[in-house]
Amino acid sequence: MTAATRAAGVLTTSQAAERRRARTIGVVFLLAAAVMGAGFGLGVEAGLDSTFGLNVRGTGAELPDLVVPSRLVAAVLAVVCAGLGGVQLARGFTRRLPAVAAVVAVCFVAAFLTWAAAGASFNLTGMLQSTLLRATPLALGACAGVLCERAGVVNIALEGMMLTAAFTGALVASAAGDQLVGVVGAVAVGGLLGLVLALLSIRYRVDQIIGGTVINIFALGLTSFLSQKVFSEYQELNSPGVLRVVRIPLLAELPVLGPVLFANNLFVYAMLLLVPLLTIGLFRTRWGLRVRAVGEHPRAADTVGIDVLQVRYRTVVLGGMVAGLAGAFFTLGSVGRFDENMTAGRGFIALAALIFGRWHPVGALAAALVFGFAESLQSKLAILSTPIPSEFLLMAPYLVTLLVVAGVVGRSRAPAADGQPYVKG
Amino acid sequence: MSAALARAGRVALVPALAIFSALAVGGLIIVVSDSTALRDWSSFVANPGRALSTSWDVVSGAYGALFRTSLGGRRAISETLLEATPLVLTGLSVTFAFRAGLFNIGGDGQFLAGALTSVYVGFSLDIPAALHLPLALAAGVAAGALWGGIAGVLKARTGAHEVITTIMLNFVALRLVDYALSTDVFRRTGRSDPISKQVLETARLPRFSDDLRVHAGLVLALVTAYGVWWLLFRSTTGFRVRAVGASPSAARYAGMAVGGTWVLSMLVAGGLAGLAGATTVLGVRFSLTGGFSNLGFDAIALALLGRSHPAGVVAAALLFGVLRAGATGMAAEASTPVDIIVVIQALVIVFVAAPSLIRSVYRIGAGRGTGPVAFSSSWGS
C-alpha cells in the first residue's frame, strides 16, 4: 500500500464519520418533528386555544394577548422541522447547520409551550423576564470561569466564590446600610478567593481541581458556621434588602422588550455590559491576546517576554471579582437575605454554561439563557400542571453538558494549557 | 524496626502537622466568632490574661466536647465507627481512581445511585435474609459502578474529562433521586415529604449489640479496604491501573489498554461509593431522603490525607469519624455550629495538598514521600 492510498483511506474514513454525524443530526430533527406532531399536536384536543400573555403588570405599553389554535401551531412547527430534517438528510446543511439547529430548537420549545398552554393562559413576557433574571448569575459566573480558564487556571471554585460573596454581600450591605457597598464587598471577597486559588495553583502548585474543591468546601463550611453563629444572634446583620429596579427612560416603555431588557436591577445591566466588553477584551485587545497566549501555550508566551505567572495571577483575581458580583446577585439582587448554601449548585451550572458555551463569553451567555429558561420553565410548569416532572427540566443543564463534552452535539474544547501549572525553565 | 518506624514517622509527619494546623486555624475561627472572647480581646491591653484565658476556655470547651462525644465511652466510639464506615468506602473510591490517574469527584452521585437501588431492593423484595441482604448490597454496588462507569466510558471513548462528567452526573443523580422519591413506587405511603419506604428487616445489616448503632458494614468496609489493597498492589490488574495512572502514554506504549483500564477503574471506584450508599441505607437509616451526603467531597480529603493508600485511608476515615461524630456533641455542649468540622476538613485538604505550605510554616526540609500532589492533567484534551 503506498502512502497516497493510505492517505486517501484516512480521508474517506473521516468523511464517512462526518457523513454519519450529519445523518444522525438529520434523524434527530425528524424525531423532534415527530414528537412535536404526535405529542404536542395530536396530544391536544381539537379546538383548544393557547393564550400567551404579553404584558407584565404595570410596565410598558399594553398589548392584546396572543391567542393561537394549539393543534394547528404545533402541526405547522412540526412540518417546518420535518422539512429541515429532510433537507439535512438529503444533502446536509454544512455551514449553516448551527443556525438550522437553533431554528429547530426554537420551534421545539414553541411547540412545547403551545402544548403546555393549551386551554390555558401563559405569560410569555413574564417568562422571558424571569429567564433573563435567572440567567444573570449563571452568565456572570460563567464569564468569571472564562477569564480564569482562558488564562490556564481551572476554576471549579465558582460555587464557593459565589456563596462566600453572597454571604459577604448580605453582611456588608446590612452593616453599611447601603446595598452598593455590599456589592463592592462581595466583589472584593470574590477577588480575595481568586487570589487564594491563584496562590494555591500557581505558587504552591496544588492540583487546581483540589484547590477549587478546597475553596468550595471551605466556603460552604465557613458561611454556614458564621451564619449560624452571627446571623442567628444579630439578625439585623442579615437584612440588606434588594437592589431596586432601574427603569431606563423611554426604552422601558417598549412592549415586551421594555420589561424584559430595560427594567432590571444593576446585576442584569452589568452582565449585559460585561459580556460584550469581555468578548472585545479577550479577542480584540493586546491584553486579551496575552491572556489567551498564557492559557494556550505558556512556554511560547514566556519566550516572547510575557510574564506568564503575573498574567495568570491578575486574570484569576479579576475572574474571582466577577464571580463575586455573580454571588452578590443571590443576596442583593434576588432574595434580600443570606440562607445557608443558597447558591445550591448554581456555581456548577455556571461551570456547565462555560463548557457548553465553549469558553467564550457570548457562548456562555447563550448557555446561561438556555439554562435560565429551563429553570424558569420548571417553576412555571407546576402552574400549568403538565405531566412532565420538573426534576427532568432541572436535570437538563447537566445532561446537555454531558452531551457536549462527549462530542455528541458539537464539540467543546478547553484552552490547551488549562489546568497545567507553569514552571519556568 | 527503627528504620521502619522512622519511615512511618516521615510519611505521617506532613499529615499530622496538617491535622494539627487545621485544628489550630479552626480554633482561631471559633475564638473570632465568639462574642465573649471578642469582648475580652477588645480590652486586651488592660487585661491580657483574661482575653487569653477566655479564648482558651472557648476553644478547649469546644474541642473537649468534640472528643468527649466521639471517644469518651462505648456509645461514643460506636458513633465514631458508624461515621467512619461510609468514609472508608468513599475514601477508597477516590483512592482507586487516583491510582489510575483519574479524579473521581462523583462520589456523591455514585453514593446516591447505590443508596437508591439498595433501598429499592431492600423494601420491594420479600425473600429470606440470606438472599435479601447480599442482593441489596450487590444492587447498590452495581448501580454505583454503573454511575461511575458512565464517566469512565465517556473518558475512554470521547476524551471527556472525568471531573466535568462526574460533577454533572452528581447533579443528575440528585434530581433523579428527587424524582424517584416523588413517585408512588418509592415514596412512603401516607407521607408527602420526600422519604422512601422502609428497608425490610431481612435486608438490614446486623448490629454488634442491640444498644449500639455500629453495624456489620464496618467489617465489610475493612475487608473491602484489604481487598482494594490486594487488587492495587498484589494483582496484575492493579499493576496495570497504577501504570496507566503514572503515565498513560508509557502504558499505551507497553501495550496496555489505557481506555479499558480507565473504564475498569471508574467501575470499581463507582462500585465502592455505591457500597457506601448501600451500607448507609441498609445499616443505619433504613430509608432514603433527598440531598447530597457530601461524602464525595470528604472522600477527596481522605484520599489525600491517607496518601492514596488503603491503610492510610482507613486511618484518615477514623479521624474524620471522630470529627463528624463529635460535631453534634460540640454543637450541643459548646454551642459551636457543626459546620466548623467542614471548615477543618477543608483546611486539612489544603495543608495536605500543599506540602510546601506546611513545610514553609514549620520550616522542615523536603523529604521522601512529601512531594506535591498532582493527578489531573489539562481537562481540554
mmCIF file with all atom_site columns, all heavy atoms in Angstrom, chain B residues 163-184:
data_model
loop_
_atom_site.group_PDB
_atom_site.id
_atom_site.type_symbol
_atom_site.label_atom_id
_atom_site.label_alt_id
_atom_site.label_comp_id
_atom_site.label_asym_id
_atom_site.label_entity_id
_atom_site.label_seq_id
_atom_site.pdbx_PDB_ins_code
_atom_site.Cartn_x
_atom_site.Cartn_y
_atom_site.Cartn_z
_atom_site.occupancy
_atom_site.B_iso_or_equiv
_atom_site.pdbx_formal_charge
_atom_site.auth_seq_id
_atom_site.auth_comp_id
_atom_site.auth_asym_id
_atom_site.auth_atom_id
_atom_site.pdbx_PDB_model_num
ATOM 1   N N   . VAL B 1 163 ? -13.643 14.973 35.496 1.00 0.00 ? 163 VAL B N   1
ATOM 2   C CA  . VAL B 1 163 ? -14.079 15.930 36.517 1.00 0.00 ? 163 VAL B CA  1
ATOM 3   C C   . VAL B 1 163 ? -15.400 16.581 36.091 1.00 0.00 ? 163 VAL B C   1
ATOM 4   O O   . VAL B 1 163 ? -16.354 16.679 36.866 1.00 0.00 ? 163 VAL B O   1
ATOM 5   C CB  . VAL B 1 163 ? -12.995 16.993 36.775 1.00 0.00 ? 163 VAL B CB  1
ATOM 6   C CG1 . VAL B 1 163 ? -13.562 18.156 37.568 1.00 0.00 ? 163 VAL B CG1 1
ATOM 7   C CG2 . VAL B 1 163 ? -11.839 16.377 37.529 1.00 0.00 ? 163 VAL B CG2 1
ATOM 8   N N   . ILE B 1 164 ? -15.446 16.996 34.815 1.00 0.00 ? 164 ILE B N   1
ATOM 9   C CA  . ILE B 1 164 ? -16.673 17.622 34.326 1.00 0.00 ? 164 ILE B CA  1
ATOM 10  C C   . ILE B 1 164 ? -17.828 16.618 34.356 1.00 0.00 ? 164 ILE B C   1
ATOM 11  O O   . ILE B 1 164 ? -18.912 16.900 34.871 1.00 0.00 ? 164 ILE B O   1
ATOM 12  C CB  . ILE B 1 164 ? -16.476 18.144 32.888 1.00 0.00 ? 164 ILE B CB  1
ATOM 13  C CG1 . ILE B 1 164 ? -15.368 19.194 32.862 1.00 0.00 ? 164 ILE B CG1 1
ATOM 14  C CG2 . ILE B 1 164 ? -17.764 18.729 32.351 1.00 0.00 ? 164 ILE B CG2 1
ATOM 15  C CD1 . ILE B 1 164 ? -15.024 19.682 31.479 1.00 0.00 ? 164 ILE B CD1 1
ATOM 16  N N   . THR B 1 165 ? -17.570 15.403 33.826 1.00 0.00 ? 165 THR B N   1
ATOM 17  C CA  . THR B 1 165 ? -18.682 14.459 33.722 1.00 0.00 ? 165 THR B CA  1
ATOM 18  C C   . THR B 1 165 ? -19.158 14.003 35.095 1.00 0.00 ? 165 THR B C   1
ATOM 19  O O   . THR B 1 165 ? -20.361 13.870 35.312 1.00 0.00 ? 165 THR B O   1
ATOM 20  C CB  . THR B 1 165 ? -18.291 13.242 32.868 1.00 0.00 ? 165 THR B CB  1
ATOM 21  O OG1 . THR B 1 165 ? -17.099 12.678 33.377 1.00 0.00 ? 165 THR B OG1 1
ATOM 22  C CG2 . THR B 1 165 ? -18.081 13.619 31.429 1.00 0.00 ? 165 THR B CG2 1
ATOM 23  N N   . THR B 1 166 ? -18.226 13.789 36.046 1.00 0.00 ? 166 THR B N   1
ATOM 24  C CA  . THR B 1 166 ? -18.700 13.332 37.355 1.00 0.00 ? 166 THR B CA  1
ATOM 25  C C   . THR B 1 166 ? -19.469 14.435 38.086 1.00 0.00 ? 166 THR B C   1
ATOM 26  O O   . THR B 1 166 ? -20.439 14.142 38.779 1.00 0.00 ? 166 THR B O   1
ATOM 27  C CB  . THR B 1 166 ? -17.556 12.802 38.243 1.00 0.00 ? 166 THR B CB  1
ATOM 28  O OG1 . THR B 1 166 ? -16.488 13.734 38.243 1.00 0.00 ? 166 THR B OG1 1
ATOM 29  C CG2 . THR B 1 166 ? -17.054 11.462 37.762 1.00 0.00 ? 166 THR B CG2 1
ATOM 30  N N   . ILE B 1 167 ? -19.046 15.696 37.921 1.00 0.00 ? 167 ILE B N   1
ATOM 31  C CA  . ILE B 1 167 ? -19.818 16.783 38.549 1.00 0.00 ? 167 ILE B CA  1
ATOM 32  C C   . ILE B 1 167 ? -21.241 16.781 37.990 1.00 0.00 ? 167 ILE B C   1
ATOM 33  O O   . ILE B 1 167 ? -22.226 16.850 38.729 1.00 0.00 ? 167 ILE B O   1
ATOM 34  C CB  . ILE B 1 167 ? -19.178 18.165 38.289 1.00 0.00 ? 167 ILE B CB  1
ATOM 35  C CG1 . ILE B 1 167 ? -17.885 18.321 39.061 1.00 0.00 ? 167 ILE B CG1 1
ATOM 36  C CG2 . ILE B 1 167 ? -20.135 19.288 38.688 1.00 0.00 ? 167 ILE B CG2 1
ATOM 37  C CD1 . ILE B 1 167 ? -17.174 19.634 38.780 1.00 0.00 ? 167 ILE B CD1 1
ATOM 38  N N   . MET B 1 168 ? -21.345 16.676 36.659 1.00 0.00 ? 168 MET B N   1
ATOM 39  C CA  . MET B 1 168 ? -22.665 16.713 36.040 1.00 0.00 ? 168 MET B CA  1
ATOM 40  C C   . MET B 1 168 ? -23.490 15.505 36.476 1.00 0.00 ? 168 MET B C   1
ATOM 41  O O   . MET B 1 168 ? -24.682 15.624 36.777 1.00 0.00 ? 168 MET B O   1
ATOM 42  C CB  . MET B 1 168 ? -22.535 16.750 34.509 1.00 0.00 ? 168 MET B CB  1
ATOM 43  C CG  . MET B 1 168 ? -21.773 17.962 33.981 1.00 0.00 ? 168 MET B CG  1
ATOM 44  S SD  . MET B 1 168 ? -22.473 19.519 34.554 1.00 0.00 ? 168 MET B SD  1
ATOM 45  C CE  . MET B 1 168 ? -21.021 20.549 34.682 1.00 0.00 ? 168 MET B CE  1
ATOM 46  N N   . LEU B 1 169 ? -22.844 14.326 36.532 1.00 0.00 ? 169 LEU B N   1
ATOM 47  C CA  . LEU B 1 169 ? -23.565 13.115 36.933 1.00 0.00 ? 169 LEU B CA  1
ATOM 48  C C   . LEU B 1 169 ? -24.036 13.203 38.388 1.00 0.00 ? 169 LEU B C   1
ATOM 49  O O   . LEU B 1 169 ? -25.082 12.658 38.739 1.00 0.00 ? 169 LEU B O   1
ATOM 50  C CB  . LEU B 1 169 ? -22.675 11.883 36.738 1.00 0.00 ? 169 LEU B CB  1
ATOM 51  C CG  . LEU B 1 169 ? -22.513 11.433 35.284 1.00 0.00 ? 169 LEU B CG  1
ATOM 52  C CD1 . LEU B 1 169 ? -21.408 10.402 35.154 1.00 0.00 ? 169 LEU B CD1 1
ATOM 53  C CD2 . LEU B 1 169 ? -23.823 10.869 34.750 1.00 0.00 ? 169 LEU B CD2 1
ATOM 54  N N   . ASN B 1 170 ? -23.268 13.914 39.243 1.00 0.00 ? 170 ASN B N   1
ATOM 55  C CA  . ASN B 1 170 ? -23.720 14.125 40.625 1.00 0.00 ? 170 ASN B CA  1
ATOM 56  C C   . ASN B 1 170 ? -25.093 14.778 40.647 1.00 0.00 ? 170 ASN B C   1
ATOM 57  O O   . ASN B 1 170 ? -26.000 14.346 41.351 1.00 0.00 ? 170 ASN B O   1
ATOM 58  C CB  . ASN B 1 170 ? -22.755 15.063 41.363 1.00 0.00 ? 170 ASN B CB  1
ATOM 59  C CG  . ASN B 1 170 ? -21.552 14.333 41.920 1.00 0.00 ? 170 ASN B CG  1
ATOM 60  O OD1 . ASN B 1 170 ? -21.537 13.111 41.974 1.00 0.00 ? 170 ASN B OD1 1
ATOM 61  N ND2 . ASN B 1 170 ? -20.560 15.084 42.332 1.00 0.00 ? 170 ASN B ND2 1
ATOM 62  N N   . PHE B 1 171 ? -25.216 15.854 39.858 1.00 0.00 ? 171 PHE B N   1
ATOM 63  C CA  . PHE B 1 171 ? -26.476 16.595 39.906 1.00 0.00 ? 171 PHE B CA  1
ATOM 64  C C   . PHE B 1 171 ? -27.606 15.836 39.216 1.00 0.00 ? 171 PHE B C   1
ATOM 65  O O   . PHE B 1 171 ? -28.763 15.946 39.620 1.00 0.00 ? 171 PHE B O   1
ATOM 66  C CB  . PHE B 1 171 ? -26.293 17.997 39.318 1.00 0.00 ? 171 PHE B CB  1
ATOM 67  C CG  . PHE B 1 171 ? -25.550 18.903 40.247 1.00 0.00 ? 171 PHE B CG  1
ATOM 68  C CD1 . PHE B 1 171 ? -24.188 19.104 40.112 1.00 0.00 ? 171 PHE B CD1 1
ATOM 69  C CD2 . PHE B 1 171 ? -26.201 19.525 41.298 1.00 0.00 ? 171 PHE B CD2 1
ATOM 70  C CE1 . PHE B 1 171 ? -23.500 19.915 40.989 1.00 0.00 ? 171 PHE B CE1 1
ATOM 71  C CE2 . PHE B 1 171 ? -25.522 20.339 42.178 1.00 0.00 ? 171 PHE B CE2 1
ATOM 72  C CZ  . PHE B 1 171 ? -24.164 20.534 42.029 1.00 0.00 ? 171 PHE B CZ  1
ATOM 73  N N   . VAL B 1 172 ? -27.247 15.077 38.165 1.00 0.00 ? 172 VAL B N   1
ATOM 74  C CA  . VAL B 1 172 ? -28.273 14.253 37.521 1.00 0.00 ? 172 VAL B CA  1
ATOM 75  C C   . VAL B 1 172 ? -28.808 13.249 38.539 1.00 0.00 ? 172 VAL B C   1
ATOM 76  O O   . VAL B 1 172 ? -30.025 13.056 38.672 1.00 0.00 ? 172 VAL B O   1
ATOM 77  C CB  . VAL B 1 172 ? -27.698 13.540 36.279 1.00 0.00 ? 172 VAL B CB  1
ATOM 78  C CG1 . VAL B 1 172 ? -28.725 12.573 35.715 1.00 0.00 ? 172 VAL B CG1 1
ATOM 79  C CG2 . VAL B 1 172 ? -27.307 14.549 35.218 1.00 0.00 ? 172 VAL B CG2 1
ATOM 80  N N   . ALA B 1 173 ? -27.894 12.622 39.297 1.00 0.00 ? 173 ALA B N   1
ATOM 81  C CA  . ALA B 1 173 ? -28.326 11.649 40.309 1.00 0.00 ? 173 ALA B CA  1
ATOM 82  C C   . ALA B 1 173 ? -29.200 12.316 41.367 1.00 0.00 ? 173 ALA B C   1
ATOM 83  O O   . ALA B 1 173 ? -30.217 11.769 41.793 1.00 0.00 ? 173 ALA B O   1
ATOM 84  C CB  . ALA B 1 173 ? -27.107 11.000 40.959 1.00 0.00 ? 173 ALA B CB  1
ATOM 85  N N   . LEU B 1 174 ? -28.794 13.523 41.763 1.00 0.00 ? 174 LEU B N   1
ATOM 86  C CA  . LEU B 1 174 ? -29.563 14.247 42.787 1.00 0.00 ? 174 LEU B CA  1
ATOM 87  C C   . LEU B 1 174 ? -31.007 14.454 42.340 1.00 0.00 ? 174 LEU B C   1
ATOM 88  O O   . LEU B 1 174 ? -31.959 14.194 43.086 1.00 0.00 ? 174 LEU B O   1
ATOM 89  C CB  . LEU B 1 174 ? -28.886 15.591 43.050 1.00 0.00 ? 174 LEU B CB  1
ATOM 90  C CG  . LEU B 1 174 ? -29.532 16.496 44.089 1.00 0.00 ? 174 LEU B CG  1
ATOM 91  C CD1 . LEU B 1 174 ? -29.247 15.964 45.473 1.00 0.00 ? 174 LEU B CD1 1
ATOM 92  C CD2 . LEU B 1 174 ? -29.006 17.917 43.972 1.00 0.00 ? 174 LEU B CD2 1
ATOM 93  N N   . ARG B 1 175 ? -31.173 14.917 41.080 1.00 0.00 ? 175 ARG B N   1
ATOM 94  C CA  . ARG B 1 175 ? -32.525 15.167 40.578 1.00 0.00 ? 175 ARG B CA  1
ATOM 95  C C   . ARG B 1 175 ? -33.290 13.871 40.366 1.00 0.00 ? 175 ARG B C   1
ATOM 96  O O   . ARG B 1 175 ? -34.503 13.818 40.543 1.00 0.00 ? 175 ARG B O   1
ATOM 97  C CB  . ARG B 1 175 ? -32.449 15.931 39.250 1.00 0.00 ? 175 ARG B CB  1
ATOM 98  C CG  . ARG B 1 175 ? -31.771 17.279 39.347 1.00 0.00 ? 175 ARG B CG  1
ATOM 99  C CD  . ARG B 1 175 ? -32.527 18.214 40.246 1.00 0.00 ? 175 ARG B CD  1
ATOM 100 N NE  . ARG B 1 175 ? -31.817 19.471 40.374 1.00 0.00 ? 175 ARG B NE  1
ATOM 101 C CZ  . ARG B 1 175 ? -31.972 20.301 41.377 1.00 0.00 ? 175 ARG B CZ  1
ATOM 102 N NH1 . ARG B 1 175 ? -32.801 20.013 42.350 1.00 0.00 ? 175 ARG B NH1 1
ATOM 103 N NH2 . ARG B 1 175 ? -31.307 21.439 41.416 1.00 0.00 ? 175 ARG B NH2 1
ATOM 104 N N   . LEU B 1 176 ? -32.555 12.830 39.956 1.00 0.00 ? 176 LEU B N   1
ATOM 105 C CA  . LEU B 1 176 ? -33.190 11.541 39.738 1.00 0.00 ? 176 LEU B CA  1
ATOM 106 C C   . LEU B 1 176 ? -33.763 11.005 41.053 1.00 0.00 ? 176 LEU B C   1
ATOM 107 O O   . LEU B 1 176 ? -34.880 10.482 41.085 1.00 0.00 ? 176 LEU B O   1
ATOM 108 C CB  . LEU B 1 176 ? -32.145 10.563 39.186 1.00 0.00 ? 176 LEU B CB  1
ATOM 109 C CG  . LEU B 1 176 ? -32.572 9.559  38.133 1.00 0.00 ? 176 LEU B CG  1
ATOM 110 C CD1 . LEU B 1 176 ? -33.261 10.237 36.978 1.00 0.00 ? 176 LEU B CD1 1
ATOM 111 C CD2 . LEU B 1 176 ? -31.350 8.795  37.623 1.00 0.00 ? 176 LEU B CD2 1
ATOM 112 N N   . VAL B 1 177 ? -32.984 11.164 42.130 1.00 0.00 ? 177 VAL B N   1
ATOM 113 C CA  . VAL B 1 177 ? -33.458 10.708 43.440 1.00 0.00 ? 177 VAL B CA  1
ATOM 114 C C   . VAL B 1 177 ? -34.674 11.536 43.872 1.00 0.00 ? 177 VAL B C   1
ATOM 115 O O   . VAL B 1 177 ? -35.671 10.999 44.357 1.00 0.00 ? 177 VAL B O   1
ATOM 116 C CB  . VAL B 1 177 ? -32.328 10.788 44.491 1.00 0.00 ? 177 VAL B CB  1
ATOM 117 C CG1 . VAL B 1 177 ? -32.870 10.618 45.896 1.00 0.00 ? 177 VAL B CG1 1
ATOM 118 C CG2 . VAL B 1 177 ? -31.278 9.724  44.205 1.00 0.00 ? 177 VAL B CG2 1
ATOM 119 N N   . ASP B 1 178 ? -34.593 12.864 43.641 1.00 0.00 ? 178 ASP B N   1
ATOM 120 C CA  . ASP B 1 178 ? -35.745 13.728 43.956 1.00 0.00 ? 178 ASP B CA  1
ATOM 121 C C   . ASP B 1 178 ? -36.989 13.228 43.240 1.00 0.00 ? 178 ASP B C   1
ATOM 122 O O   . ASP B 1 178 ? -38.080 13.170 43.801 1.00 0.00 ? 178 ASP B O   1
ATOM 123 C CB  . ASP B 1 178 ? -35.475 15.176 43.519 1.00 0.00 ? 178 ASP B CB  1
ATOM 124 C CG  . ASP B 1 178 ? -34.536 15.879 44.470 1.00 0.00 ? 178 ASP B CG  1
ATOM 125 O OD1 . ASP B 1 178 ? -34.269 15.302 45.552 1.00 0.00 ? 178 ASP B OD1 1
ATOM 126 O OD2 . ASP B 1 178 ? -34.065 16.978 44.149 1.00 0.00 ? 178 ASP B OD2 1
ATOM 127 N N   . TYR B 1 179 ? -36.781 12.883 41.941 1.00 0.00 ? 179 TYR B N   1
ATOM 128 C CA  . TYR B 1 179 ? -37.922 12.421 41.162 1.00 0.00 ? 179 TYR B CA  1
ATOM 129 C C   . TYR B 1 179 ? -38.443 11.095 41.705 1.00 0.00 ? 179 TYR B C   1
ATOM 130 O O   . TYR B 1 179 ? -39.652 10.924 41.907 1.00 0.00 ? 179 TYR B O   1
ATOM 131 C CB  . TYR B 1 179 ? -37.534 12.276 39.686 1.00 0.00 ? 179 TYR B CB  1
ATOM 132 C CG  . TYR B 1 179 ? -38.597 11.577 38.880 1.00 0.00 ? 179 TYR B CG  1
ATOM 133 C CD1 . TYR B 1 179 ? -39.822 12.199 38.663 1.00 0.00 ? 179 TYR B CD1 1
ATOM 134 C CD2 . TYR B 1 179 ? -38.410 10.295 38.395 1.00 0.00 ? 179 TYR B CD2 1
ATOM 135 C CE1 . TYR B 1 179 ? -40.829 11.564 37.970 1.00 0.00 ? 179 TYR B CE1 1
ATOM 136 C CE2 . TYR B 1 179 ? -39.415 9.645  37.695 1.00 0.00 ? 179 TYR B CE2 1
ATOM 137 C CZ  . TYR B 1 179 ? -40.619 10.281 37.494 1.00 0.00 ? 179 TYR B CZ  1
ATOM 138 O OH  . TYR B 1 179 ? -41.625 9.655  36.818 1.00 0.00 ? 179 TYR B OH  1
ATOM 139 N N   . ALA B 1 180 ? -37.502 10.154 41.939 1.00 0.00 ? 180 ALA B N   1
ATOM 140 C CA  . ALA B 1 180 ? -37.913 8.826  42.421 1.00 0.00 ? 180 ALA B CA  1
ATOM 141 C C   . ALA B 1 180 ? -38.714 8.953  43.713 1.00 0.00 ? 180 ALA B C   1
ATOM 142 O O   . ALA B 1 180 ? -39.744 8.291  43.893 1.00 0.00 ? 180 ALA B O   1
ATOM 143 C CB  . ALA B 1 180 ? -36.687 7.948  42.636 1.00 0.00 ? 180 ALA B CB  1
ATOM 144 N N   . LEU B 1 181 ? -38.259 9.859  44.605 1.00 0.00 ? 181 LEU B N   1
ATOM 145 C CA  . LEU B 1 181 ? -38.927 9.990  45.893 1.00 0.00 ? 181 LEU B CA  1
ATOM 146 C C   . LEU B 1 181 ? -40.282 10.678 45.773 1.00 0.00 ? 181 LEU B C   1
ATOM 147 O O   . LEU B 1 181 ? -41.039 10.738 46.741 1.00 0.00 ? 181 LEU B O   1
ATOM 148 C CB  . LEU B 1 181 ? -38.030 10.751 46.883 1.00 0.00 ? 181 LEU B CB  1
ATOM 149 C CG  . LEU B 1 181 ? -36.770 9.996  47.314 1.00 0.00 ? 181 LEU B CG  1
ATOM 150 C CD1 . LEU B 1 181 ? -35.949 10.841 48.256 1.00 0.00 ? 181 LEU B CD1 1
ATOM 151 C CD2 . LEU B 1 181 ? -37.117 8.669  47.964 1.00 0.00 ? 181 LEU B CD2 1
ATOM 152 N N   . SER B 1 182 ? -40.568 11.221 44.569 1.00 0.00 ? 182 SER B N   1
ATOM 153 C CA  . SER B 1 182 ? -41.893 11.829 44.398 1.00 0.00 ? 182 SER B CA  1
ATOM 154 C C   . SER B 1 182 ? -42.879 10.837 43.773 1.00 0.00 ? 182 SER B C   1
ATOM 155 O O   . SER B 1 182 ? -44.054 11.149 43.620 1.00 0.00 ? 182 SER B O   1
ATOM 156 C CB  . SER B 1 182 ? -41.778 13.083 43.529 1.00 0.00 ? 182 SER B CB  1
ATOM 157 O OG  . SER B 1 182 ? -41.560 12.701 42.186 1.00 0.00 ? 182 SER B OG  1
ATOM 158 N N   . THR B 1 183 ? -42.381 9.661  43.369 1.00 0.00 ? 183 THR B N   1
ATOM 159 C CA  . THR B 1 183 ? -43.283 8.677  42.757 1.00 0.00 ? 183 THR B CA  1
ATOM 160 C C   . THR B 1 183 ? -43.837 7.731  43.820 1.00 0.00 ? 183 THR B C   1
ATOM 161 O O   . THR B 1 183 ? -43.256 7.581  44.895 1.00 0.00 ? 183 THR B O   1
ATOM 162 C CB  . THR B 1 183 ? -42.551 7.832  41.702 1.00 0.00 ? 183 THR B CB  1
ATOM 163 O OG1 . THR B 1 183 ? -41.490 7.127  42.361 1.00 0.00 ? 183 THR B OG1 1
ATOM 164 C CG2 . THR B 1 183 ? -41.977 8.680  40.599 1.00 0.00 ? 183 THR B CG2 1
ATOM 165 N N   . ASP B 1 184 ? -44.934 7.086  43.472 1.00 0.00 ? 184 ASP B N   1
ATOM 166 C CA  . ASP B 1 184 ? -45.567 6.174  44.430 1.00 0.00 ? 184 ASP B CA  1
ATOM 167 C C   . ASP B 1 184 ? -44.734 4.924  44.673 1.00 0.00 ? 184 ASP B C   1
ATOM 168 O O   . ASP B 1 184 ? -44.878 4.259  45.686 1.00 0.00 ? 184 ASP B O   1
ATOM 169 C CB  . ASP B 1 184 ? -46.958 5.769  43.927 1.00 0.00 ? 184 ASP B CB  1
ATOM 170 C CG  . ASP B 1 184 ? -47.924 6.933  44.016 1.00 0.00 ? 184 ASP B CG  1
ATOM 171 O OD1 . ASP B 1 184 ? -47.617 7.858  44.800 1.00 0.00 ? 184 ASP B OD1 1
ATOM 172 O OD2 . ASP B 1 184 ? -48.933 6.945  43.305 1.00 0.00 ? 184 ASP B OD2 1
#
